[in-house]
Amino acid sequence: MNTFKTYHPIVNFAYFTFVIVFSMFFMHPVCLGISLFCSFAYSILLNGKKAARFNFLYMLPMLLFAALVNPAFNHEGASILGYLPGGNPLTLESIAYGVSAAVMIVSVICWFSCYNAVMTSDKFIYLFGRVAPSLSLVLSMTLRFVPKFKEQMRVVANAQKCIGRDVTGTSMLQRAKNGVSILSIMVTWALENAVETADSMKSRGYGLKGRTSFSIYTFDLRDKRAMIAISLLGIYVAVGKFAGGLYFRYFPTIKSVAITPYSISLFFAYFALCMLPIIIEIREAQNWKSIKSKI
Amino acid sequence: MKKYGYKILAGLAILSVLAAAFWWGGNAPSLRGRKDAQTSDINNTLTAHIPAQPPVDISSERESQQQKDTSNNPLNEKEAENSDNKAPVTTKKEDSGGVETVSLDKPSAEPASDEKPVPESRKDEETADKQLTCTLSVRCDTILKNISWLKPEKVELIPEDGIIFAEQEVVFYEGESVFNVLLREMKKNKIHLEFENMPVYKSAYIEGINNIYEFDCGELSGWMYRVNGDFPNYGSSRYQLAPGDKVEWLYTCDLGSDIGGGSSFQGIRR
């Protein structure tokens, strides 16, 4: 259920670089809407029910909270709706900006959850292990840290449970004590694990000159096509942004670039770029169906 | 040399980027009219002595004013009672609508130096204060001369003659500050105003009027206020108004020296 993951790492990386950078910098409401929709759709496609629950249980409240907080601190804008108790004005522009910034944050978080599901650490090491060995090792270890920590925590907690140190049930004080002992075990484990990983990589000659490394990735026709599509769409959108085709400002008055066929084409290109993995997924499913029906 | 070649090159690259950012960002001393400020400083130091009192004088004057305030309190109360009897009901209403929403303490309610706390009764009295008048104006005509520095999205906000709030008589109540009057008038006339309370200085700082903010027209730009021709060296919410005061809010593009208020900043240099 994850065809895009089987593509060459450079294709995955190019896609996520474009999409995450664009999500961060494009403040046009249409672009934000596209980004939010696609990130939600793709994360649900990748992680299923878990992602859907996370998105609607945590991301949506966070979106609302961030949108509400902005007008409390930002009072710029020409259309005054009313006055806050402090005496500063409440403006339409600050509310609009708050909503947009909140949508941006949520969609970027969502894109990163997709990134983690697709770009595994071996892919990252494959891409950057040669260029910056120590940096890529540290980065991949850092990115792996939280999920690995969670997993180990579960193991340790279960082991502690077996010897009667339960973190559920008993009195508050006892639970806190057991929790602290688990935490101390975890910290020790994390430090030791990091040192061990580094040592083991070093003993294998990681990052030495002239050393080759095995990889299972080949850049075939499929990757070539995807890469061309991603870079063409990405460059078209980026050029459009620099040419002012996606201009939108919130302060002091809300003003958008005129909606012309050109800007609509930019929106479509951006949408196509964001939807690319989902399109690939759908096409793959259709392909599989047709092959199956032939048998 | 070969071994460290990359490092030296990297260092040079970083240095050149920093230098470019410094000049391009406009922090260079020769840019942004800093030179003008220095030449006009001489004029200001000459003239500054005559109209603007040295800081010591101001503080002592303020203290004495506060002493007067506190000593006159019983008298004020009497006055207030009198005015309460005479004053029409409408003034009371206006007062409670306009003033009570302001969280900032009036200057008399919280003295700059905590030596003489004002009795609590003073606050109750405020609702029955006398109506006084002063003149208020808000102008940004310095921007018209430096329109090329202005952020492009703000150009549409600048009035053609640079007058945001034409000079007119406005009502204030006894004990109110320049800030209170500005806030009330801007609200009444639906002009945007953003300020920030600065607990460190026990004062309010005006960040933007009519969406024209500090730093919008060059790095030395912002709002300053002038009362009867002088630029006070402290926050507007600590300046207690006197009847007939002429209050002007002016936008400077050059740290005050383009509106004749450069002397307010000279305490730092001297």
Side-chain angles (χ1 to χ4, degrees):
Chain A
M1 214 20 213
N2 193 347
T3 321
F4 189 60
K5 200 176 174 177
T6 62
Y7 278 59
H8 194 269
I10 191 97
V11 180
N12 294 340
F13 190 75
Y15 171 76
F16 280 111
T17 315
F18 272 130
V19 163
I20 290 172
V21 169
F22 287 171
S23 299
M24 284 181 198
F25 286 101
F26 293 179
M27 286 305 274
H28 199 289
V30 177
C31 294
L32 288 172
I34 290 170
S35 176
L36 187 72
F37 171 77
C38 296
S39 63
F40 265 42
Y42 193 35
S43 70
I44 289 168
L45 187 78
L46 282 174
N47 298 330
K49 245 186 195 168
K50 214 176 92 188
R53 213 179 55 206
F54 181 74
N55 286 350
F56 288 102
L57 222 66
Y58 296 104
M59 289 290 106
L60 280 186
M62 188 179 144
L63 196 153
L64 287 177
F65 176 74
L68 285 178
V69 158
N70 189 55
F73 295 101
N74 184 344
H75 313 290
E76 202 172 348
S79 28
I80 297 169
L81 299 178
Y83 282 89
L84 297 171
N88 273 321
L90 172 72
T91 63
L92 181 69
E93 284 80 4
S94 70
I95 293 173
Y97 185 78
V99 171
S100 307
V103 168
M104 187 195 78
I105 291 169
V106 166
S107 61
V108 167
I109 291 173
C110 231
W111 279 125
F112 267 105
S113 78
C114 300
Y115 173 92
N116 272 336
V118 172
M119 281 292 283
T120 46
S121 57
D122 57 326
K123 284 186 177 178
F124 193 81
I125 293 275
Y126 169 76
L127 282 180
F128 296 101
R130 202 69 58 76
V131 191
S134 48
L135 189 71
S136 70
L137 180 64
V138 166
L139 266 176
S140 79
M141 275 166 70
T142 320
L143 292 174
R144 278 286 294 141
F145 179 75
V146 173
K148 226 177 161 183
F149 195 84
K150 263 162 78 181
E151 206 172 298
Q152 186 70 14
M153 186 111 110
R154 203 173 47 80
V155 172
V156 171
N158 281 340
Q160 292 283 312
K161 211 174 184 175
C162 285
I163 55 169
R165 291 190 195 159
D166 203 348
V167 277
T168 52
T170 57
S171 75
M172 191 84 170
L173 191 72
Q174 197 58 39
R175 273 187 344 217
K177 265 185 184 168
N178 294 344
V180 167
S181 80
I182 289 176
L183 197 72
S184 115
I185 293 166
M186 286 313 296
V187 169
T188 320
W189 170 83
L191 294 173
E192 199 180 328
N193 189 52
V195 172
E196 249 172 30
T197 312
D199 277 352
S200 118
M201 289 305 268
K202 201 175 178 185
S203 66
R204 284 154 216 230
Y206 174 72
L208 284 185
K209 215 176 176 184
R211 195 188 143 83
T212 58
S213 50
F214 168 76
S215 71
I216 48 168
Y217 307 114
T218 49
F219 197 82
D220 55 18
L221 187 69
R222 189 185 65 154
D223 298 314
K224 207 172 172 182
R225 278 187 193 152
M227 193 65 196
I228 288 170
I230 287 169
S231 39
L232 279 184
L233 288 170
I235 290 166
Y236 182 65
V237 174
V239 167
K241 168 74 181 173
F242 278 111
L246 295 170
Y247 177 80
F248 193 87
R249 75 160 198 229
Y250 290 89
F251 301 113
T253 47
I254 294 177
K255 203 170 183 182
S256 164
V257 67
I259 301 296
T260 54
Y262 176 62
S263 59
I264 290 171
S265 79
L266 283 175
F267 292 144
F268 268 102
Y270 187 45
F271 184 66
L273 177 68
C274 289
M275 286 295 274
L276 202 74
I278 300 172
I279 295 167
I280 288 172
E281 198 70 48
I282 292 166
R283 275 189 56 187
E284 193 72 12
Q286 280 173 348
N287 215 354
W288 173 245
K289 225 178 181 180
S290 72
I291 291 169
K292 225 164 67 170
S293 63
K294 272 177 199 158
I295 299 172
Chain B
M1 187 61 208
K2 239 181 194 174
K3 206 176 169 187
Y4 297 110
Y6 279 115
K7 283 180 186 174
I8 292 166
L9 268 182
L12 281 177
I14 290 167
L15 261 181
S16 59
V17 166
L18 284 176
F22 181 72
W23 285 96
W24 195 48
N27 280 321
S30 68
L31 297 171
R32 302 278 161 174
R34 186 64 68 80
K35 227 162 134 194
D36 299 338
Q38 268 164 5
T39 50
S40 60
D41 272 353
I42 304 157
N43 300 329
N44 281 329
T45 41
L46 287 176
T47 52
H49 289 292
I50 309 156
Q53 288 112 334
V56 190
D57 276 4
I58 290 169
S59 59
S60 64
E61 193 189 58
R62 282 184 57 77
E63 237 169 65
S64 63
Q65 212 172 17
Q66 270 149 16
Q67 272 176 348
K68 237 191 277 171
D69 268 5
T70 45
S71 61
N72 282 355
N73 241 349
L75 203 137
N76 269 353
E77 260 173 309
K78 268 182 206 163
E79 262 180 29
E81 272 169 20
N82 285 342
S83 64
D84 200 31
N85 293 336
K86 283 173 198 166
V89 193
T90 47
T91 56
K92 263 178 129 183
K93 265 187 188 168
E94 215 177 281
D95 199 357
S96 61
V99 181
E100 282 182 358
T101 48
V102 182
S103 62
L104 264 186
D105 288 313
K106 290 181 180 179
S108 55
E110 194 180 335
S113 53
D114 294 324
E115 290 158 10
K116 294 190 172 55
V118 179
E120 278 298 305
S121 61
R122 185 85 180 86
K123 275 186 178 172
D124 307 333
E125 212 183 296
E126 278 166 13
T127 47
D129 267 340
K130 266 198 297 192
Q131 268 193 24
L132 304 165
T133 55
C134 64
T135 61
L136 177 73
S137 65
V138 181
R139 295 206 321 264
C140 63
D141 35 15
T142 49
I143 295 179
L144 299 173
K145 284 174 227 151
N146 304 309
I147 203 96
S148 57
W149 288 354
L150 190 68
K151 287 184 182 165
E153 66 266 25
K154 304 262 179 170
V155 172
E156 64 181 58
L157 294 168
I158 311 297
E160 265 172 42
D161 51 357
I163 297 171
I164 292 167
F165 185 81
E167 185 168 340
Q168 55 192 267
E169 287 225 325
V170 293
V171 172
F172 73 97
Y173 302 91
E174 204 173 338
E176 279 194 323
S177 65
V178 171
F179 172 72
N180 294 129
V181 171
L182 179 74
L183 187 61
R184 173 154 8 90
E185 289 305 317
M186 292 300 108
K187 250 186 201 178
K188 215 187 266 173
N189 292 285
K190 300 205 163 53
I191 299 172
H192 169 272
L193 166 75
E194 181 171 353
F195 65 93
E196 196 183 346
N197 276 335
M198 302 280 234
V200 187
Y201 306 113
K202 288 181 184 161
S203 178
Y205 176 69
I206 305 295
E207 288 175 305
I209 303 176
N210 195 28
N211 275 299
I212 305 164
Y213 275 72
E214 48 174 344
F215 312 130
D216 272 355
C217 188
E219 282 157 2
L220 305 178
S221 60
W223 285 100
M224 292 179 77
Y225 74 110
R226 179 160 72 182
V227 184
N228 300 333
D230 286 344
F231 287 89
N233 205 359
Y234 42 88
S236 60
S237 63
R238 281 172 57 184
Y239 193 100
Q240 200 168 334
L241 277 170
D245 269 351
K246 187 182 171 196
V247 180
E248 294 161 283
W249 281 90
L250 304 167
Y251 194 84
T252 175
C253 299
D254 195 11
L255 213 60
S257 61
D258 53 349
I259 50 173
S263 59
S264 303
F265 293 96
Q266 286 196 346
I268 309 157
R269 280 191 201 140
R270 260 184 289 168

